[in-house]
Amino acid sequence: MAYLDRVLDPPSYGWINSEGTLSKPSPKQLFKEFFKRLNVFRCKKNWLPFFSWVRVLILIPLFLLFLFKFFSLTLLLVFFVYSMILMGTHGTIWHHRYCTHQAYTFKNKFWKFITQNLTISMIPEEIYVVSHHVHHAKSDQPGDPYNASGGFLYCFLADANHQPIAKDLSEKDYNSTVKLMRHTGVHANTFTEYLKWGSVTNPMVAIALCLLNWAFWYLIFFLIGGHAMACTVFGAAAFWAVGVRTFNYEGHGKGEDKRREGTDFNTNDMSINQLWPGIVAGEWHNNHHLYPKSARTGFLTHQVDLAWYYIWSGKKMGMITSYHDSKQEFHLRFAEPYQENKLKDARQQPIKSGVLERNQ
């Protein structure tokens, strides 16, 4: 069994059924697994998914304060921009293109720290990074931690049900997992600490850094616009953290083949390019699956890529030293041949029509 086949903690209903296809649990099974894996009283090794969801729950009162006490059209615009654009783009820049795929490199730890904390901290790097490697290795196959064919809840609850690392890794496999995370700057547990906590991430360090991040940003937004502004942006962060859990379900066609000719050139899985996630967060998902290590995924003219603009600007300013950009290769291998074939077919169509008419 390959490393990526055993690095994640399999759910009680398994990845594969007796027929060798995806095991599709019922909503009852999914919720049962979800609450079992959030139960830190049953097992403290559940702390990381619990910590991930507690962040959202803590911020719900601030969201409600924004909605029912401080609401205004100006703050609604702030809420929209922060949740949809700033949080979404930062997730692409940090968790997706750097932490998972190392699509670019920082000049030093200072700029990495700044980029990591550009927004309110909501998603633990470990939950995202390790499982995302598995997702790319097994896209839309049994074992994919957010396989859209499993349904909406299968994806929405995946950070607790399918994405945590296994609790019984060998020391060799644990070291391989630490290596996947090393460049992110996450303070890694020793193997002995891993056996105690069930994670690469050290809980004390992670909680302390999250609290510092929250304290800093609450102070900044309070100074800008008082509790109204702070509640708005923290509520927006919680809103994004819930919404982002639906992305891969949507981004893989809700389990159906929704790929479009001339738009989605990757044919190895069901990933699709979507206008809204692409524009607000640079998530041109089919392009990304075609070139996972590319710092840019907005390859076509209309494909706005805010995450790429940050990386490109960072390179110009000297905070980023290098990046991978697959746009030219994409056009040479896919876009240009497609357009040439399209033009060729258009030229041949009148000839074929003429031949058909003469035969008639």
Side-chain angles (χ1 to χ4, degrees), residues 239-259:
F239 184 83
W240 172 82
V242 172
V244 76
R245 289 168 161 87
T246 71
F247 172 73
N248 273 283
Y249 179 67
E250 302 282 345
H252 283 255
K254 300 180 180 180
E256 301 174 7
D257 189 354
K258 295 186 177 182
R259 291 170 296 181

Side-chain angles (χ1 to χ4, degrees), residues 102-134:
Q102 300 184 63
Y104 60 97
T105 56
F106 289 102
K107 181 178 181 180
N108 51 45
K109 291 181 180 179
F110 172 78
W111 290 116
K112 180 164 67 175
F113 178 81
I114 293 297
T115 300
Q116 179 182 14
N117 291 284
L118 276 176
T119 60
I120 296 164
S121 176
M122 292 302 298
I123 303 293
E125 285 83 359
E126 179 180 332
I127 289 285
Y128 190 98
V129 171
V130 180
S131 62
H132 203 72
H133 282 285
V134 179

